[in-house]
Amino acid sequence: MKIVFLGPPGAGKGTQAVFITARLGIPHISTGDMLRRAIAEGSALGQKVKTVLDAGKLVSDELMIELIEQRLQQPDTQKGFLLDGFPRTVPQAEALEVLLKKINKPLTHILLLDVPEKVLVDRILKRGKESGRSDDTAEVALKRQKVYWELTAPVADYYGKLGRLIKVDGLGTIEEVQGKISAVLE
Ligand code: AP5
Ligand code: MG
C-alpha cells in the first residue's frame, strides 16, 4: 500500500502511522521526524531548517520535494510506504503526483485524520511536557494550526476534488482510532 496520512498537528498521524506501518511492513516516512533528526545531527540541512521548525513555519517546498524524491528512491519503498507530514502544500501534492507517476508507484490510500482544533492544541501541550519538541509550546502550537488551515487544508481539498480523500474520525482512544483506520485500509 502507498498511503498518505493527512491531518492537522496533533491529530495523531505519527501515533497511528507507527501501528499501521508495523502491521503492513512498510516504511513510515515522517518528514517532521527526518527534519528533527537532521537538526539533532547538526547536518547542513538541520542547520538550515532549525529556525523554521522552531517558529512553526514550513520548510520550503523545493527542499521538501527534494528530500522526499530521494527518500522514495530507497529500495525499502518498493513494497509500499506511508507518508506522514508530506505533502503539506498544494505544490508539494502536485510534485508528488509527478514523481509517483515517474517511478510508477501511484498512491493507494489518502487518509485525513479529522480532529477538532481545541482537542489538537490540548494534545500538543500535553505531549510538549514529555517530548521536548521545541515547537510544542502554546504559541508555536497555535501558529502551526494556523499554517495548517492556510497551507495544508487545501491539500485535503485537492485530493477531495479528485474523489480520493478518505476521512477518518480521529476522536476517541488511540485504540479506537486504530480500529477505524484499519477498517478503511481493508
Ligand atoms: P511534523 O512533525 O509533521 O508535525 P505536525 O504535522 O505538526 O504534527 P504532529 O507531529 O505535531 O502531530 P501528529 O498528527 O503526528 O500527532 P501525534 O501522533 O504526535 O512537522 C513538524 C515541522 O516540520 C513543521 O511545523 C514544519 O516546520 C516541518 N515540516 C514537516 N514536514 C514538512 C513539509 N512537508 N513541508 C514543510 N515543512 C515541513 O499525536 C499528538 C499527541 O496526541 C501525542 O502526545 C499523542 O500521544 C496524543 N494522541 C494521539 N492520538 C490520541 C488519541 N486518540 N487520544 C488522545 N491522545 C492522542
Ligand atoms: Mg507527527
Side-chain angles (χ1 to χ4, degrees):
M1 288 186 191
K2 298 168 193 74
I3 305 167
V4 159
F5 221 162
L6 296 170
K13 303 181 296 294
T15 306
Q16 298 296 337
V18 170
F19 295 117
I20 303 169
T21 54
R23 185 164 63 83
L24 298 175
I26 55 175
H28 172 196
I29 304 177
S30 158
T31 44
D33 288 349
M34 288 164 84
L35 296 171
R36 280 185 290 278
R37 216 174 301 134
I39 292 170
E41 287 164 359
S43 69
L45 170 69
Q47 289 177 25
K48 211 187 256 181
V49 301
K50 181 170 179 0
T51 52
V52 180
L53 266 78
D54 284 349
K57 294 180 184 166
L58 294 188
V59 173
S60 76
D61 287 339
E62 199 190 356
L63 219 110
M64 295 310 302
I65 291 164
E66 197 188 310
L67 195 70
I68 280 294
E69 186 159 11
Q70 283 175 9
R71 183 63 187 89
L72 290 179
Q73 278 163 9
Q74 302 296 315
D76 64 339
T77 60
Q78 209 51 44
K79 53 188 181 231
F81 51 81
L82 183 150
L83 294 177
D84 160 10
F86 186 97
R88 226 178 180 89
T89 63
V90 172
Q92 288 183 17
E94 289 168 347
L96 181 65
E97 284 298 297
V98 173
L99 173 65
L100 293 178
K101 211 166 265 169
K102 205 163 66 184
I103 58 178
N104 200 21
K105 290 180 187 164
L107 295 172
T108 57
H109 297 82
I110 299 150
L111 303 183
L112 171 68
L113 259 189
D114 211 7
V115 177
E117 189 160 353
K118 166 82 179 72
V119 178
L120 297 169
V121 177
D122 285 351
R123 283 187 188 174
I124 287 179
L125 294 183
K126 201 168 153 204
R127 181 181 63 189
K129 288 186 190 137
E130 301 138 25
S131 72
R133 254 179 73 165
S134 52
D135 59 352
D136 277 351
T137 61
E139 190 192 340
V140 181
L142 285 173
K143 169 74 183 168
R144 283 160 58 208
Q145 297 296 325
K146 193 164 169 272
V147 167
Y148 174 82
W149 290 109
E150 271 174 25
L151 298 170
T152 310
V155 175
D157 296 341
Y158 167 87
Y159 289 120
K161 280 188 195 130
L162 298 172
R164 298 173 64 194
L165 190 71
I166 307 167
K167 271 195 200 177
V168 178
D169 175 16
L171 273 181
T173 65
I174 290 173
E175 292 73 24
E176 281 164 355
V177 178
Q178 211 179 318
K180 290 181 225 177
I181 294 172
S182 298
V184 300
L185 289 180
E186 284 303 307

